[in-house]
Each structure stands twice: as C-alpha cells, then as structure tokens.
Amino acid sequence: MGREDGAIQFNIAYHPTPYPHAMRRDLEEIAEVCDGIYLVFAESDLEYGSNKVKHCIDLAHEQNLIVLADFWGYGNLFACGAIPSLFTVQHPEYNCVTNRGRTIPKSCPNKQGVRDFMRGAVEGFMATYGADGVFWDEPSYGLAGYLGRYEDGEWACRCDDCQAKFRDRYGKEMPAGLTAEVEEFRNETMLGFLSDLCAYTKGCGEHLVTSTCIMTSDSEAFREAVAQTPQLDVFGIDPYWRPDQDVSQKDFIERYTGDSVAMGKRHGKLVEAWVCAWKQNAGHEADAYRAAKLNAQHDIDCLSAWSYRDYISWDPCDRANAADPERVWKNLKRAYSEIRDDDLEIRE
Ligand SMILES: [Zn+2]
C-alpha cells in the first residue's frame, strides 16, 4: 500500500455483485481511476454465494487492482450495513455484557473464543480466496442501531473475562461506572484485539497489508493508541462530513485528517483518508468531489472512498431525497483523475 513513487494511492470500497458480467464492467471502470478496492463482505456472504467473492478477487487482479478484504461486521465488532454477525448469534456465550448485567449482540474481544474465531476467519479467507491484505473498519464497542441500543449510562464490556483482566491490570474490581481507568482498559482491549488481528494477517504472509479506519467520534486517546498498533501498515480516518453538521466541510476534514496525518506519521504508519461517498443527499452530489480534494491537500498516502456508486447495501434505492449515485461517482472519478494530475484546486 502506498505508492513507491510517493504519490497517493486511490481506492474504493466495492460490494461484489453476484452477476459476473456486471462485476467485470464495474471493476474495469474502477481500474480507470483506482489502484485498489476494498472488497466488502459479511460472514453470510461466505456462507452463501462465496463464488462472487472469489470471482471478484480474480477479476480485480486481472485489472491490476490491489484487493483488501474487508471483514464487514464480523462479531458485530466492526462497521456493517445491517447484516448481523452469524458467529455472534450462534455463540451468545461469547457476547459482551454491559455494566447493567445485560448481554448484548456483540462478541467480546477479550474472550479467547472470539480471538480464535477471528484468527480462523483470517486464515480461512487467505487460504481459500487470497487477497493482498485485510481491512478492519471502525472497530468499536458501539452498538449499531439494528442491533439495539445502550441505555443512558450503559456501556460494555463488563463480562466475567473483562472483569478478571481488569483485576489483573489494576489490582481492583472493575467499576460499574465508565471511569478513566475503564476507558483506558477498553482502549487497551481494542488495541490488543486489533494487534492480534494484524498478527494473524501477517502470519499468513508478511507481504499482506494490514489496514484499519477509525472514526472521528473515537476519543483522541483511542485514535493515538490505534496509530501505534504493532504490525498495522495503514492508519485510516473517515472524516465523513454531512451538510447538517455545524462545522464546514473544510474545517472538519482539516481537523481530523490533519490530526491523523500527524499521529500516523509519528508512529511510522501510512495514512489513509476516507471520502464520504455514500448515502449522499440530493443536491449534494459534489460533496465527495470536494472531500477528495480537501483530503488530498494533506500529506496522506492513500485516498479511499466509501463506496462505489454511492452504494451502501440497498439504502439509496429506497430513500427519499437520495442523491443521484451516477453523479456522485462521476464527481468522485473527476476528483481522483485531477488529483492524479497534481491538480488540487476545487473546481465545481
Ligand atoms: Zn467482555
């Protein structure tokens, strides 16, 4: 990852279609402006219809595209478009328990069974499908809306394993409140988890790229911790600006991409910025164009967009006031082409 000539590497997230002719056309078009794809799949994609994943990797490689495997929503520990983890459903004994004693549909990263599952997922994927690397998207303790909600003051995880590890680390019982120590412990847990995921990946081949993306809503301490993850190659941030935010797009990207470049470079990582090209609103089809240019004005190594043709699962097709996905994609393509020519000026 990262171009040897120091130029920005361009990528886009791609949800593989089950129709091979359409997929070929998509990937040929992507290869016109991109160097790589983030291949998005959920656990259920490999259980049912895994040929499309294999076919996608083969076709992408035909186009000389780098392929990073995005283990979407595995264990409900990463970002996902409302496709729940099968493992989490099948193994409630490994699920997180909140400080109110409630079990939630999220696998606990401190449980050995969950680490074993993730290790098997990475090793199995590499042995069966192959790819050029692995992507961990927005690892967090957050609970996506389709999985339920935390009550006010409720947090995870305070299961028996987490409590035991906390006791070992701090020499006292784990508080029921979200204290500074608990926050630190949760950050360390997620960092240890991410570190293991990178180790499992590198265990399949030292050449494999390891990449993650964290959110602007993550604390600065968490972002700084993730930037130090051993064996992590690419440290990413997704400053997904929306027009209803109080801050301008420029200021928002300036702050978070700027911070991430500083953090990532400090710890010797390649830095990636993500462009918001999903769930755009009508009339805002050029937001992704501006976001790409604004991000490229920072010292980033990779510029990626979520996702091809403004697509996130089925959402834009049935939402009122949705953007025209063709225009979003055309604008993004234009930005990528111009940036490749060292043209960073925003021209609408
Ligand atoms: Zn736990």
Side-chain angles (χ1 to χ4, degrees):
M1 284 292 268
R3 298 253 305 262
E4 283 179 7
D5 58 6
I8 293 174
Q9 179 179 309
F10 297 87
N11 309 294
I12 196 158
Y14 181 68
H15 302 257
T17 161
Y19 302 106
H21 293 296
M23 186 144 63
R24 180 180 288 281
R25 280 198 305 272
D26 290 348
L27 292 166
E28 284 173 356
E29 185 179 48
I30 286 172
E32 289 171 13
V33 288
C34 291
D35 302 291
I37 59 166
Y38 280 89
L39 167 57
V40 183
F41 57 89
E43 290 168 49
S44 54
D45 285 310
L46 302 190
E47 289 289 323
Y48 186 81
S50 60
N51 268 350
K52 72 176 181 183
V53 172
K54 178 80 182 104
H55 199 59
C56 184
I57 294 171
D58 291 345
L59 288 178
H61 281 161
E62 270 183 34
Q63 299 296 322
N64 293 318
L65 289 163
I66 293 165
V67 180
L68 264 65
D70 178 0
F71 288 72
W72 217 29
Y74 270 58
N76 291 336
L77 283 160
F78 307 96
C80 189
I83 304 171
S85 161
L86 300 178
F87 176 82
T88 305
V89 171
Q90 290 161 357
H91 293 282
E93 72 274 22
Y94 297 141
N95 287 2
C96 288
V97 177
T98 73
N99 58 329
R100 307 264 166 89
R102 185 167 70 99
T103 301
I104 56 171
K106 194 169 193 72
S107 299
C108 171
N110 262 332
K111 293 194 185 294
Q112 191 57 47
V114 175
R115 304 255 173 148
D116 292 345
F117 161 65
M118 294 303 301
R119 178 177 207 139
V122 171
E123 292 176 351
F125 187 91
M126 286 304 167
T128 308
Y129 304 99
D132 304 300
V134 165
F135 177 53
W136 308 110
D137 194 10
E138 300 179 344
S140 91
Y141 281 104
L143 202 53
Y146 62 91
L147 297 172
R149 299 216 178 277
Y150 287 115
E151 297 165 10
D152 282 348
E154 190 179 28
W155 54 269
C157 178
R158 198 172 177 273
C159 73
D160 290 347
D161 291 277
C162 284
Q163 289 194 47
K165 288 192 175 174
F166 186 94
R167 212 177 293 123
D168 286 348
R169 166 83 167 78
Y170 295 97
K172 60 181 176 187
E173 291 304 312
M174 190 176 200
L178 197 56
T179 63
E181 282 178 344
V182 171
E183 287 275 29
E184 181 183 64
F185 176 78
R186 295 196 328 157
N187 287 350
E188 286 178 4
T189 294
M190 208 49 89
L191 182 62
F193 180 56
L194 199 53
S195 175
D196 274 7
L197 296 176
C198 292
Y200 304 151
T201 306
K202 296 288 186 185
C204 297
E206 272 300 320
H207 65 289
L208 296 173
V209 175
T210 50
S211 172
T212 193
C213 177
I214 50 174
M215 297 176 280
T216 57
S217 56
D218 288 321
S219 70
E220 192 167 334
F222 181 69
R223 287 186 277 131
E224 184 77 43
V226 169
Q228 299 171 60
T229 309
Q231 300 192 77
L232 175 72
D233 298 313
V234 183
F235 174 64
I237 184 78
D238 51 9
Y240 288 162
W241 180 84
R242 301 279 178 190
D244 60 352
Q245 286 177 229
D246 292 337
V247 60
S248 73
Q249 185 184 30
K250 184 174 189 304
D251 288 349
F252 191 67
I253 289 172
E254 185 85 30
R255 175 180 170 192
Y256 287 103
T257 301
D259 277 3
S260 299
V261 166
M263 280 180 192
K265 301 286 175 186
R266 196 154 58 235
H267 301 295
K269 307 298 185 192
L270 296 168
V271 177
E272 177 165 56
W274 282 84
V275 171
C276 185
W278 60 278
K279 210 174 182 179
Q280 302 286 272
N281 287 346
H284 285 271
E285 284 87 352
D287 286 7
Y289 169 86
R290 282 198 310 277
K293 290 257 170 140
L294 289 167
N295 276 303
Q297 289 169 8
H298 294 269
D299 185 20
I300 55 172
D301 301 285
C302 310
L303 184 62
S304 298
W306 193 287
S307 58
Y308 179 59
R309 282 198 149 78
D310 190 19
Y311 179 83
I312 176 158
S313 54
W314 47 86
D315 190 81
C317 305
D318 59 4
R319 191 168 56 89
N321 195 33
D324 174 354
E326 294 301 314
R327 287 179 57 205
V328 174
W329 168 237
K330 269 189 189 161
N331 279 313
L332 184 67
K333 259 176 48 169
R334 185 162 68 91
Y336 275 16
S337 297
E338 290 175 3
I339 297 165
R340 272 188 190 283
D341 292 337
D342 290 328
D343 174 5
L344 300 184
E345 195 182 325
I346 295 174
R347 220 178 287 102
E348 300 199 33

